[in-house]
Amino acid sequence: MKTIEAPERTPAPPELEPVSNAGRYRRRRISHKVLMYGLLLGLCAFILLPVGWMLTAALKPDLEPVFTPTPEWFPTKFWEWSNFHRVLTESMPFLRYSINTTIIVVANIIGVLISCSLVGFAFARLRFRGSKVLFYILIVTMLIPWQALMVPQFLFFVKLGWYGTYLPLIVPSFTGTAFFIFLIRQYMRTIPKDLDDAARVDGLNSWQIFWRIILPLSTPVLTVCAVFTFLWNWNNLLGPLIYLDSDEKFTVAMGLANLVTVSDTPWNLTMAANLITILPCVIVYFFVQKKLIGGIASVGLKG
Amino acid sequence: MAEILIEGVSKVFADGTEAVHSVDLQIPDGKLMVLVGPSGCGKTTVLRMVAGLEDLTGGRIIIGGSVVNEVPPGERDVAMVFQNYALYPHMTVYQNMALSLKIRKLKKEEMNRRVEEAARVLHLEDLLAKRPRELSGGQRQRVAMGRAIVREPQAFLMDEPLSNLDAKLRVQMRAEILRIQQDLGVTTIYVTHDQTEAMTLGDLVAVMKKGVLQQVADPQELFTYPVNLFVAGFIGSPAMNIVEAKLTGTGEGMFVEFGGHRLAIPDEVFAERPALAAYRGRSVILGIRPEAMEDAGLVPSPASDTHFPIRVDLQESMGSDVYLHFTVNAPPVFTEDTKELAADVDEKVLEELQEQAKESRTTFIARTSPETRARPGGDLEIWVDTRKLYFFDPQSSESIYGEAEPAASGAAASVTSA
C-alpha cells in the first residue's frame, strides 16, 4: 500500500513508474482470490444444504411434518436431540448395528491389506513362471459382475454352513480382491527396482524386502485400499441382506433400509440414523484426507 | 579383502541379446579396476553379475578364493553403490546405513560404532537423522558410499556412482572415493562411461565394447599403447584424431601422407613398431593425439616434414591451453570402431561423420599452448610430434606394433598384465 502512496508525497521521477503497476497487480490478485473463495463457498453451501435439511428433519418431534411446502434448510424451531438417542438404543439398536458393521469393516480392511499387498508385491516385484498369465486371469475376474456370482457363492457358503454368520462377508477379503491387487501392483511397480537390488546386496531376502522396503513405501496406495474397503463395507446392503438372518447381527445399512417402510416411515428417526451413519465416513475422511488425495493421485485413480 | 577373478564370463539375456562375451578379468587384492566403455557395452552387466544380481550364462566368478556363481547377493560379502544411489526413501541416513548390519544381527554397539565411523569419514555426522529427500545430490552420494563402507566388505562394486552429480562435485567426490578406497584398501570394481574418471581413478582400466573386453592395462599404458582403434579413440580427451593415410617412402626414410600433407616417420617409431615396415606403399589408419600437435611458430626450428599448413575453423580457449579445430582434406576413418565411438558421443556426431566421409574431409583438434597466435579463419603451420604417431591396420583396426611389443598381441594376452 505504501508503494502506491509514495508518488503522492514526493513527485516520483519517471523511472519509478513501475511501482504503481505493482499495486495494480496486487489488487487484481486479491479480487481474483475473492472470486475464487466466493465460488468455492457457494459450491460448499450447495453440497451441504441437503445435510442441513437432514439435520432439520432429524430434530423434529414425531408428529411434525417433515416435508414442508418450502424446504427448511436449517433447524430453527425444533431441537429434539433425543431422537438420536432413540435411534441408537431404544426402537432401533443402531449402536448394536454400528458395532456389527465395525467388526465386518475392520476384518475386511485387515484381510484386504494382508492378501492384496502380498499378491500385489508378487506381481509387481517378483519374477516367476506364469506371472503374466495369472495377472491376466486376475484382470478378467474384474470383468465378471458380482451379481453373476451371487447365487453360486450363496450356495457355496450355505454348503460350508456359514449362512447366518459374518464369515461370508469377511473371509473373501482374505483371499484377495482383484481391483485392489491391481491398484497395489501398479503402485509398487513405480518404486525403483534399484531399491530391491540394493536391498538384496544388503542381504535382505524377498520377504524382508516386502516388509522393510516395499510395504512402508506403499502406504499411500494401502490407505486408498483401506478407505475404499471401509466405504464399501460400511455402505454394503446386499451382502449382509443375503447372508445375515437375525436382528442382532444386522448392519447399519440394513437398519436404515428397515426404517423405510411403505407407510408410516419415521422420517425424523431415519434422518437421525442417516446422520449417524455418515459420521464415521466423515471422520475417516477427515483423518486420512491428505494421504488419500496423494494416494489417489499417485495410483491414477479418480472418483 | 580379496582378489576377484572373472573367468570366461558370458551373459545372454532371455531375448537372445548377448550382453557380455567371455570376459576374463583379474582384480588384484586391494586394487581398483575401472570398467569403461560406451553405453550398452556390457560393463554394468559384468558388475551386476559380480554382485549376484544377474545370473551367469557361462564362466565363473571367484571372490576371495571361492566360486560365488550360485551364492545369493547378500552372502557374497560385497557392497554396491548404485548410479541413482538407491537409498531407502523412508529411512533416515542412519537407518539406511545400518540396515545391512541389522539384517546380519550385529550387536547394537558394533552397529553404532561402524555407522558413526563411516559418518565421520564421509562428514555425515549431522545428517544421520535426516531422510534422503532432505539431502543434496552430493550428500546422497556420500550416504550411498557410507552404506557400502559400514559393511566392511571384501569388495566394493560401484556402478557409475558420480554420473548424477554436477561437474565440480564430481571431481571432488572422485578424489574422495579414491582416498577412501586407498585408506580402506578394499578391492573395487568401478563402472563408468567417462574415460577421464577411468584414467584418474583406476589402478587398472578395462575397456569394453559390445560385450567384448578390448584391453586391460594401467591408465598410462592404455593411453600410450592402445591395442586397437577403439581403445585409442575412447581413451583421451579430446579424442585422438584419426584419418586414412598412406605409407610412402624410398630408401631414405618413410613418410605418412594424408590429405595432401606429408609427415616423416622417425626411426624410433619403427623401433617401437617393427611391423610397420611391412605397410610401405599401403594404406594405414593414422592417429594423432591433440596433445602431440603444436603451433609450429612456438616450436624452436621444427624439422621439415613435421608440420603442415592449416586454416583454423574454430578456437576454444581453455585457459591453460587452446583447442584448435581444423579440417584435413582426407576421408575420415569409417569403421565399426569409429562409428561406435561417434555414436557414443551423440547420434548427431555419427551423422556428421557420415557427411564428412562423403565430402572426404576430417575435422582435427589440436591442443596447443595458449601463446598461439592462431585466430579463427586464420592460416597457421601446425607442428606434429612425429614420435607420437599411432598406426592401425585399416582392415582389422588393430594397432600396428610388432612381435616385440607387450601390448601388441591382443586383448586376451594383456588381461593379466600389471
Side-chain angles (χ1 to χ4, degrees):
Chain A
M1 278 323 196
K2 263 180 195 155
T3 49
I4 305 168
E5 289 162 13
E8 288 169 12
R9 277 188 228 139
T10 48
E15 303 95 86
L16 282 184
E17 236 177 346
V19 171
S20 61
N21 265 351
R24 202 174 74 205
Y25 283 120
R26 190 178 306 145
R27 273 199 299 278
R28 193 201 280 179
R29 206 164 57 229
I30 288 167
S31 60
H32 185 82
K33 270 199 174 149
V34 168
L35 190 75
M36 241 169 48
Y37 276 97
L39 270 175
L40 285 174
L41 284 173
L43 203 65
C44 276
F46 183 71
I47 290 169
L48 288 176
L49 274 183
V51 181
W53 182 88
M54 279 169 74
L55 190 62
T56 315
L59 291 175
K60 283 185 177 175
D62 285 349
L63 295 173
E64 196 63 31
V66 164
F67 301 100
T68 48
T70 43
E72 295 167 44
W73 298 119
F74 302 103
T76 46
K77 280 178 274 180
F78 309 105
W79 305 94
E80 290 286 329
W81 291 105
S82 61
N83 285 350
F84 288 93
H85 189 252
R86 280 166 69 199
V87 161
L88 278 174
T89 51
E90 285 166 32
S91 55
M92 300 292 157
F94 262 83
L95 199 59
R96 172 81 249 166
Y97 294 165
S98 298
I99 292 166
N100 293 344
T101 318
T102 305
I103 291 168
I104 294 174
V105 163
V106 169
N108 266 284
I109 289 174
I110 292 169
V112 161
L113 290 186
I114 291 174
S115 63
C116 297
S117 66
L118 276 169
V119 180
F121 173 74
F123 278 131
R125 311 298 281 196
L126 302 181
R127 281 183 292 182
F128 57 95
R129 209 178 283 272
S131 65
K132 266 193 180 156
V133 176
L134 282 175
F135 186 68
Y136 290 145
I137 292 173
L138 180 88
I139 296 295
V140 168
T141 62
M142 281 204 290
L143 303 177
I144 304 170
W146 189 71
Q147 288 81 347
L149 300 172
M150 225 155 60
V151 174
Q153 237 174 31
F154 177 78
L155 295 174
F156 175 70
F157 286 129
V158 167
K159 279 254 163 73
L160 285 176
W162 289 1
Y163 180 75
T165 71
Y166 290 146
L167 289 174
L169 302 173
I170 290 171
V171 172
S173 72
F174 280 84
T175 61
T177 306
F179 180 59
F180 291 146
I181 291 171
F182 177 72
L183 274 193
I184 291 171
R185 174 215 185 233
Q186 294 305 95
Y187 187 86
M188 285 180 172
R189 272 162 64 100
T190 63
I191 299 171
K193 271 261 163 23
D194 274 357
L195 291 184
D196 296 39
D197 287 343
R200 268 181 219 287
V201 175
D202 270 349
L204 279 70
N205 56 34
S206 291
W207 171 252
Q208 287 165 324
I209 290 174
F210 169 72
W211 185 246
R212 287 180 181 271
I213 312 288
I214 303 297
L215 208 57
L217 291 175
S218 300
T219 42
V221 72
L222 297 178
T223 310
V224 170
C225 292
V227 170
F228 278 16
T229 307
F230 166 78
L231 288 179
W232 286 356
N233 283 288
W234 189 262
N235 297 327
N236 189 8
L237 173 63
L238 198 53
L241 204 58
I242 293 173
Y243 291 108
L244 300 181
D245 56 353
S246 63
D247 193 46
E248 71 267 21
K249 290 204 180 83
F250 279 5
T251 65
V252 279
M254 294 171 81
L256 278 181
N258 284 344
L259 273 174
V260 183
T261 49
V262 178
S263 63
D264 273 351
T265 301
W267 287 111
N268 54 350
L269 296 186
T270 309
M271 288 306 144
N274 265 321
L275 285 170
I276 289 168
T277 312
I278 293 171
L279 203 61
C281 301
V282 174
I283 291 169
V284 164
Y285 182 77
F286 186 78
F287 279 112
V288 300
Q289 58 167 334
K290 211 170 162 193
K291 272 219 151 121
L292 190 66
I293 290 168
I296 287 175
S298 64
V299 297
L301 190 81
K302 295 238 174 76
Chain B
M1 316 297 127
E3 179 188 61
I4 300 175
L5 281 172
I6 297 171
E7 294 181 349
V9 163
S10 302
K11 176 71 187 181
V12 180
F13 282 110
D15 62 357
T17 50
E18 190 179 34
V20 176
H21 179 81
S22 188
V23 164
D24 292 292
L25 285 172
Q26 179 197 13
I27 301 106
D29 186 11
K31 296 286 183 199
L32 191 154
M33 172 166 301
V34 177
L35 290 183
V36 69
S39 46
C41 74
K43 55 192 190 297
T44 296
T45 309
V46 170
L47 193 75
R48 290 175 60 84
M49 287 194 285
V50 176
L53 297 170
E54 299 282 354
D55 293 332
L56 279 70
T57 312
R60 48 183 205 160
I61 291 171
I62 299 162
I63 300 175
S66 52
V67 179
V68 295
N69 281 23
E70 301 300 327
V71 179
E75 289 163 38
R76 291 190 181 196
D77 201 11
V78 296
M80 190 156 168
V81 179
F82 291 82
Q83 185 174 357
N84 54 18
Y85 319 135
L87 301 178
Y88 311 123
H90 57 297
M91 297 185 188
T92 63
V93 169
Y94 180 93
Q95 290 167 330
N96 262 284
M97 296 210 276
L99 180 65
S100 60
L101 307 178
K102 210 167 163 185
I103 294 294
R104 285 177 176 72
K105 301 201 164 65
L106 238 71
K107 284 218 182 71
K108 190 103 186 161
E109 305 88 67
E110 173 69 1
M111 197 157 82
N112 281 334
R113 188 191 65 74
R114 287 204 200 178
V115 173
E116 273 156 27
E117 171 70 14
R120 197 180 52 74
V121 171
L122 292 159
H123 312 299
L124 290 170
E125 294 106 319
D126 301 335
L127 305 173
L128 286 175
K130 297 209 170 179
R131 283 177 210 282
R133 69 167 173 274
E134 300 169 76
L135 305 180
S136 70
Q139 290 168 335
R140 289 179 201 187
Q141 216 289 325
R142 278 177 220 272
V143 177
M145 282 291 295
R147 198 166 62 177
I149 291 174
V150 296
R151 296 267 308 274
E152 300 180 358
Q154 295 203 52
F156 287 144
L157 308 175
M158 306 199 185
D159 185 7
E160 309 206 18
L162 304 182
S163 62
N164 283 352
L165 300 179
D166 62 51
K168 205 170 170 189
L169 207 52
R170 201 179 306 163
V171 174
Q172 192 192 329
M173 281 309 295
R174 195 167 73 199
E176 195 110 317
I177 287 179
L178 198 58
R179 175 177 68 86
I180 290 165
Q181 196 271 334
Q182 280 170 357
D183 282 357
L184 302 178
V186 178
T187 315
T188 303
I189 305 181
Y190 187 105
V191 162
T192 179
H193 66 267
D194 178 355
Q195 62 91 25
T196 318
E197 229 168 87
M199 298 293 275
T200 49
L201 276 177
D203 293 313
L204 287 169
V205 177
V207 183
M208 287 184 71
K209 182 192 84 176
K210 290 186 171 171
V212 181
L213 192 63
Q214 304 292 305
Q215 185 173 9
V216 185
D218 67 70
Q220 202 51 52
E221 188 184 334
L222 213 57
F223 187 81
T224 320
Y225 301 107
V227 294
N228 58 31
L229 194 55
F230 180 80
V231 176
F234 194 80
I235 301 295
S237 174
M240 180 189 276
N241 302 293
I242 297 162
V243 69
E244 271 184 25
K246 204 168 175 184
L247 275 197
T248 58
T250 48
E252 279 308 290
M254 293 253 281
F255 300 96
V256 57
E257 289 181 14
F258 60 97
H261 306 304
R262 191 171 83 151
L263 295 172
I265 306 171
D267 290 342
E268 50 203 284
V269 171
F270 282 103
E272 214 166 49
R273 303 166 184 267
L276 192 60
Y279 284 82
R280 182 192 296 256
R282 289 164 55 189
S283 56
V284 291
I285 294 171
L286 171 67
I288 309 174
R289 290 216 183 265
E291 297 81 2
M293 290 189 268
E294 184 56 275
D295 180 345
L298 300 175
V299 180
S301 58
S304 61
D305 291 323
T306 59
H307 51 91
F308 56 88
I310 59 154
R311 172 159 292 168
V312 179
D313 295 333
L314 191 73
Q315 183 193 19
E316 289 179 284
S317 237
M318 310 304 271
S320 57
D321 35 35
V322 170
Y323 295 172
L324 300 179
H325 296 237
F326 58 93
T327 308
V328 169
N329 290 319
V333 177
F334 211 55
T335 64
E336 193 211 330
D337 279 356
T338 55
K339 272 191 258 181
E340 181 89 5
L341 287 170
D344 183 47
V345 185
D346 199 334
E347 276 306 308
K348 273 218 185 81
V349 176
L350 182 61
E351 281 167 31
E352 209 171 291
L353 190 69
Q354 274 161 336
E355 199 143 298
Q356 290 184 349
K358 261 185 244 156
E359 297 169 16
S360 169
R361 58 186 173 84
T362 309
T363 300
F364 268 45
I365 298 177
R367 185 173 180 173
T368 69
S369 153
E371 285 138 47
T372 180
R373 53 191 168 70
R375 290 293 165 265
D379 292 324
L380 190 78
E381 279 289 318
I382 198 97
W383 173 81
V384 179
D385 185 351
T386 47
R387 290 165 306 169
K388 293 180 180 166
L389 295 178
Y390 293 77
F391 295 94
F392 308 92
D393 185 281
Q395 262 78 51
S396 66
S397 292
E398 297 287 318
S399 284
I400 302 167
Y401 290 114
E403 306 307 321
E405 267 309 315
S409 42
S414 62
V415 162
T416 50
S417 66

